[in-house]
Amino acid sequence: MLTANLLKTTSRIDHGFFTRKGGHSADLFDSLNCGLGSGDDPVLVQRNRSVCAERLGVDRANLVTTSQHHTAIVVTVSEPWDTNAAPVAD
């Protein structure tokens, strides 16, 4: 897990940037894929999300991810959203 020094300056933000290492996904998704809409096996995605939540020290229900599209769109998180209605962002 990679972290940004600037985001570490506040205790209000738990964050991490995860690499492909340590995931349960295979084949095309051979990674720590957390994308619920990616087409990956949903069971493996949930296992990956559990790994990320554990590394962040948060409850999986509070793990916030977006529907990742490589754009310049940014969203502000004020509370966890429904994972099935995640906003598009990168």
Side-chain angles (χ1 to χ4, degrees):
M1 178 175 77
L2 306 172
T3 57
N5 289 333
L6 184 60
L7 295 176
K8 289 183 191 178
T9 61
T10 177
S11 62
R12 296 180 57 206
I13 300 173
D14 294 316
H15 75 284
F17 301 95
F18 295 90
T19 67
R20 298 180 67 83
K21 297 179 183 177
H24 296 281
S25 297
D27 300 324
L28 174 65
F29 300 101
D30 186 19
S31 67
L32 190 56
N33 178 32
C34 292
L36 295 167
S38 66
D40 193 0
D41 181 333
V43 172
L44 298 179
V45 171
Q46 291 300 339
R47 288 176 66 189
N48 290 335
R49 292 175 69 81
S50 291
V51 167
C52 292
E54 183 178 328
R55 289 187 188 163
L56 287 168
V58 300
D59 185 298
R60 191 174 81 180
N62 291 326
L63 181 65
V64 177
T65 57
T66 63
S67 177
Q68 186 178 21
H69 294 245
H70 297 296
T71 67
I73 300 170
V74 176
V75 295
T76 300
V77 179
S78 56
E79 62 185 4
W81 45 67
D82 180 339
T83 57
N84 294 315
V88 171
D90 190 14

